[in-house]
Amino acid sequence: MRSAFAAEWRKLLGHTKAIAFLVWVYPIGALMIVLLIQILPALLLDPVREMIAASPIDWTENLLSVWNAMNGFPGGTFLRMPFIAFIAMAFAGEYQWGTWKNIVPRQSRMNLIFAKFLVLALLLMLALLLTSLVLLAGGWLESVLFNVPYGPSLAELDWGAFLQQALLQVLVTFVSTLIVASYAALIAMYSRSIIASLLLSVGVGIVELTSSVLLVIVSQAVQRPNLVNILVALPTYNLDNVRSWVVDGVGSTFGGYPGFTAVPPLWLSMVILLLWLGGLVGGTAVLFRHQDITS
């Protein structure tokens, strides 16, 4: 397993252009936001500088903001799309370039597929960690340039609550990445085309997003508003529900959808997510184990 992980890590990092535009785009984009949207306007415009000076900066919010955004609904669906494209390329490329035929005889198929899932998830975690550090540094730079309070102090911070929130946010992002990777892997196994996998993988995210809106419309049309509660079975809702419990202390109402009343507790959403994760990743591995890759 270790050798499969190391080989997969080197291979995926070797796609320098794809990884630059689809993975490192997160920290690079955060840097552009900090410099061009936060710092530069404040340096040039007095009203912007006065507005920033009047608002204390919370470094804990800066550090966790990207994780909160990735797990939110519906914004997280769109924020994950660049990485979904990279996942589709990573799986479908093996078929299109014929590399599975050279790799499989030397490694267990289960090790290969789990190594690819793990490397992809860790790559996104690394990109988001760098993004968090960029936003943290941006807040510090704002405080220095414009003499804005930058708190809370380390002595005042409730470290227990902060670390619990941070770890849960990272865990939810990790789980959501593996779920999304499973969608892309399953599509790649059948399409064996990078373009088809890319378009269909992004399409799955959009379909899941729009299906919730369609369900609301249908439930209102047939005058059974409680039908919208079916959403609690979807991974997207449970990701948002976990985020909401952790960040806001209450369950998610999924944007206040009409008729939505089923708000599961935190533990139940985590169980549902783990079931989705186990089913999708495990099912992908089993299918790959029995797939004919020579045809």
Side-chain angles (χ1 to χ4, degrees), residues 73 207-217 228 231 234 254 257:
F73 177 86
V207 166
E208 189 177 4
L209 177 64
T210 55
S211 64
S212 59
V213 179
L214 291 175
L215 184 59
V216 172
I217 295 173
V228 77
L231 292 172
L234 297 178
F254 222 34
Y257 280 179

Side-chain angles (χ1 to χ4, degrees), residues 18-19 21-23 25-26 77-93 120 180-181 184 193-203:
I19 206 170
F21 285 100
L22 301 176
V23 179
V25 65
Y26 294 106
T77 301
F78 296 102
L79 286 175
R80 286 196 296 267
M81 283 184 181
F83 197 72
I84 292 173
F86 185 73
I87 294 170
M89 185 214 71
F91 279 102
L120 285 167
V180 168
S193 164
I194 294 176
I195 297 299
S197 297
L198 189 156
L199 294 176
L200 291 173
S201 298
V202 172

Side-chain angles (χ1 to χ4, degrees), residues 116-288:
K116 190 176 286 289
F117 275 124
L118 185 57
V119 170
L120 285 167
L122 290 178
L123 273 175
L124 181 59
M125 295 298 103
L126 178 59
L128 294 181
L129 176 59
L130 292 174
T131 305
S132 292
L133 294 177
V134 168
L135 295 174
L136 182 68
W140 172 82
L141 185 59
E142 273 189 292
S143 71
V144 171
L145 290 176
F146 309 118
N147 194 28
V148 182
Y150 194 47
S153 67
L154 299 182
E156 295 173 347
L157 182 65
D158 184 348
W159 282 101
F162 173 70
L163 290 176
Q164 180 183 19
Q165 180 178 344
L167 289 174
L168 278 173
Q169 289 276 42
V170 171
L171 177 62
V172 170
T173 306
F174 185 79
V175 170
S176 68
T177 302
L178 290 176
I179 290 174
V180 168
S182 300
Y183 293 152
L186 289 169
I187 292 169
M189 284 182 181
Y190 290 100
S191 70
R192 303 195 178 197
S193 164
I194 294 176
I195 297 299
S197 297
L198 189 156
L199 294 176
L200 291 173
S201 298
V202 172
V204 166
I206 296 174
V207 166
E208 189 177 4
L209 177 64
T210 55
S211 64
S212 59
V213 179
L214 291 175
L215 184 59
V216 172
I217 295 173
V218 170
S219 66
Q220 295 297 311
V222 299
Q223 297 183 348
R224 295 187 61 185
N226 287 340
L227 276 177
V228 77
N229 288 329
I230 295 173
L231 292 172
V232 298
L234 297 178
T236 299
Y237 169 75
N238 286 284
L239 288 167
D240 188 59
N241 192 44
V242 170
R243 181 209 59 79
S244 183
W245 276 113
V246 171
V247 176
D248 304 322
V250 294
S252 170
T253 58
F254 222 34
Y257 280 179
F260 186 81
T261 57
V263 179
L266 175 62
W267 68 267
L268 182 55
S269 277
M270 295 185 74
V271 169
I272 293 172
L273 285 173
L274 290 175
L275 289 173
W276 271 99
L277 179 63
L280 286 170
V281 174
T284 303
V286 170
L287 284 174
F288 181 66

